[in-house]
Amino acid sequence: MKDLIKRLTETFGPSGSEGPIREVIRKEVEPYVDEIRVDALGNFICFKKGSGGGKKVILDAHMDEIGAIVTHIDENGFLRFANIGGVSPVISLGQRVYFENGTFGVIGCEKLDDIKDLKLEKLYIDIGAASREEASKKVKVGDMAAFFQPAIDLGNRMVAKAMDDRIGCVVVIEVLKRLKQTAHDIYAVFASQEEVGLRGARVAAYGINPDVGIAFDVTGTGDTPKSHTMDVSLGKGAAIKVKDSSLICHPGLRDYLVKLAEENGIPYQMEVLERGGTDSGAIQLTRAGIPAGVISIPSRYIHSPCEMVDLGDVEACVKLCVAACESPLDF
Amino acid sequence: MDVREFLKTASLAHGVSGFEFMDIASVARDAMEGLVDEVQVDVLGNVIGVKYGQGPQPRPKIMLAGHMDEIGLIVTKIEEGGFLKFAPVGGVDQRVLPAHEVIVYGKRPLTGVIGVKPPHLTSPEEARKAHKMEDLFIDTGLPEEEVRNLVRVGDVVTFKRQVSELMGDRFSGKALDDRAGVAVILVCLDELRKYKVDADVYAVATTQEEIGLRGALVSSYGIEPDIGIAIDVCHGETPGVPEWRTASVGKGPALAQGGNIHPKVFAALEKAAKEIGVKVQNEIAPAATGTDAWAIQVTRAGVATGLVSIPLRYMHTSVETLAISDVEDAGRLLARFIASVDAGFVKELKTWI
Amino acid sequence: MDLRTLTSLSGVSGNEYEVRSAIIKELESMGISYECDVLGNVIARKGNQGPKVLVDAHMDEVGLIITYIEKDGFLRFRPVGGIDPRVLVSKRVLVGKEKIPGVIGAKAIHLQERDERTRVIPTDRLFIDIGAESREQAEKKVQPGDYVVFDTEYEELSPGIVKAKALDDRVGCALLLEILKQDWQNIQLYAVFAVQEEVGLRGARVAAFAVEPDMGIALEGTVCADIPGTDKEFQATRLGKGAALSIMDRGSIPDRAMLNQLVKIAEDEGIPYQFREATSGGNDAGVIQQAKAGCPVASVSVPCRYIHTPCSVMSMSDFEAARKLIIKFLESVEGGFRP
């Protein structure tokens, strides 16, 4: 699994440019699913037929990551950029980025009189070009960049960029691999454009029209020095979401997941996330409403290039999802 | 239909957005039984009472939406000592919280208070600033172990507040935003017995309005109405707020106008009010009304919407105050409006010249 | 219908009657079939085979709405759509269906305290003076709920450079009418003249649900800040430099295949184009993309300086570039291009 996490997190895929990550996921899941398609927004939808008598279930993890989009190339070849999703200027400072075509760059900053003036507008990407002409050979306005950071293995924990939400993709891929027998028709949705407003999941859910939707995404923790108050910790198991800004999880499904975790001895914790949303928020509000829940992977330093997860938690999420898929889901 | 009695029950019932099924949904359901032909509950917990009309098929479909959820709190962490940290559900003004009594819905309901530091230990600088929500906590008085036994992260909390029957027909309590809207719908359903009605009426006590109009969004998708009327509250006159930003409590419901409202629905509501001698007030909404009407309007290929508002003082506190007569008038005018809707009216809604 | 006529019409979001009527009249004279929906969108149709292409321009403009009439006859109002309150003071307006002339006054500079002059006057302190001496007199002409438009004359400032109100998005409406002049055979064109864009992309959302297109294009008058004091990297677009193509905004990320096709056509045909070098703002493409199971979208815009104010400025050469580009693009879809 470590190898899969490394491969997925190190692949390029800011919102709207999910081509490369989609291909990596395709290779992983192809042997385990019955049908594969890509929809108009670039969602990668894998269908695994159930043995019958079950429900239509979406397992969603978004494959896009935050990044930068080039908005201007100046005469000296510096690139101005805007954020794709929630990018903090503080965290961007001094980072390396790369483009889909392999071009590398570093983020520089204008001279600031006061660090409080630090805003994304003060930053630029330097790709080492000496002029607009030279830069334009490699990059054009509208091209997207991702942060560049190799994944690191800390033993039972791993750190990488784009753990949000490639770790969710890892969970869903692992579930597809391990799932031997299920009554349910499973639609694994590797969603696009979550970071810019849950856009992929919204249209995918409309198209699929499922009976149940479960999203797998990262959530914050409250276990770091003087952190925000939150009762989720790294290493204490799968987080079963109650609420975030985008949804209140279906209470029946939520309690059903809790019961499954307890029956199967899977470590879990309850999660209330005060800020942030996830794909289930869009799935729930599809058509006349769809029961939706979230199994979250606790993660520190979300939306930085150093997002940290605990492999025990990941394993717990996989087990809980497998248990859910093998259960009747009759909440 | 006794508005006062219903509001007493409904105000005391609990139903934080997303958790309506725990109490208020059954209150709404029970109240609708007998007034409608059937009651349904959808995936998001919306309670939908259907009263079939007598017009020729296809009959016009009218959706009435009053939201039954209330703002509240949700437990985010159990601290050492058994103190509960919390986050808001919906737009809670943290300035009303200090020293408020609350009920925590754990394995059993627990009374708690939102504690504050005594003034004696508060510095003058500190006292000038409003408390921050993240610094506040709930004290249930129970030992930590028992708290951990009874309460779980994600449990919801409501304000503990008895209703007050003030002078005249003024009535005060929590969650009148928008249980008053549900009361209007009940009055309307009751009143409809007096009329011959063509249209099918879908009376919806909606969920999750306070956190993004979510119940109305999906229930209107499911119902697919021709006309959707939201019944919600608007700001009643309050000292210190200019007259032109509020409506008067006790001077009749307000009818909204603006992009969120279909002009012909507004005109028909105004006409219905005139016909039965109900006084109405103006509510001008430049864009978003912040009510279920905003979600209903853009459902599917579009729905003609109206908005009837009950003037209400001190919105989002636990002492929201309204006039019973406004609720009754709103229900009567809605019934009159519904009785006037036929297939021809629905067809006209797409004619813009 | 020319821009002079289109921009002279009143059409504050939710009150698009005048614009809609004029467009319907034009469609009827062109012999084009259309429908109105319950929100007031006008959806015109051409072509019976091939992919469904939704091309959108919004009819509405930002403006004001009367909320209250004071005892002494002054009118209180609130903005409809995004208006910077600093542009309102000392402007002429037209109020209500009868277009009663009014002015937005302000306390004379002589009567202001020194530090008042540096503070923004918020909209809730502004008022419209129609010359009424009392509430009763005002009520004969105006009611709360009446809409207000800026009273701005369409003028050519210099050859090819025009000034008007509501260029956002009558310029899109003008482009859409141009597209409808052509005979489309191998696309099913749905030309959507949308309502209520400025208050949250409301019209396009329901129109796209009804149409369920295979691809969508928004035609817009967009931000342009090639003005003194704004560095090149923050100008978004430049007047006279061609049709503006969106790279991303708050509502959508244009489909890369469509964007590349637009660029390719512009380069092959020598049509001036520029990228919209900003990601702020949003347009109807955002909701078209999200309709039902989703569809690819792109936006083609005409740069307009000072949008959302009483007087915006644009270049007819950019309009011409946008016209050519969008028509060539649609021809390429007829020729088989698919996102």
Side-chain angles (χ1 to χ4, degrees), chain A residues 14-18 39-45 58 60-64 69 83-86 144 189-207 217 246 277-283 286, chain C residues 201 246-256 279-297 299:
Chain A
S15 316
S17 289
E18 294 95 351
D39 76 5
L41 260 74
N43 290 301
F44 184 51
I45 301 173
I58 282 185
D60 166 289
H62 69 88
M63 59 180 169
D64 63 315
I69 182 165
N83 58 306
I84 300 171
M144 295 178 180
V189 175
F190 297 95
S192 62
Q193 302 197 23
E194 191 269 357
E195 297 291 359
V196 291
L198 322 181
R199 292 183 195 150
R202 185 171 293 120
V203 301
Y206 187 94
D217 204 343
S246 69
T278 187
D279 279 343
S280 271
I283 296 170
T286 298
Chain C
L201 322 179
S246 294
I247 52 168
M248 169 176 169
D249 64 27
R250 277 208 333 267
S252 67
I253 297 172
D255 180 77
R256 263 31 201 174
T279 59
S280 52
N283 66 32
D284 281 339
V287 287
I288 296 167
Q289 184 197 48
Q290 296 276 292
K292 292 196 174 173
C295 76
V297 292
S299 300

Side-chain angles (χ1 to χ4, degrees), chain A residues 24 34 50 87 123 173 181 230 247 264-265 280 320:
Chain A
V24 172
D34 299 311
V87 175
L123 303 179
I173 291 168
Q181 185 67 29
M230 188 172 176
L247 90 160
N264 291 281
S280 271
L320 184 52

Side-chain angles (χ1 to χ4, degrees), chain B residues 31-43:
Chain B
M32 275 191 209
E33 300 276 2
L35 292 171
V36 295
D37 297 315
E38 62 181 84
V39 184
Q40 310 157 357
V41 178
D42 74 7
V43 165

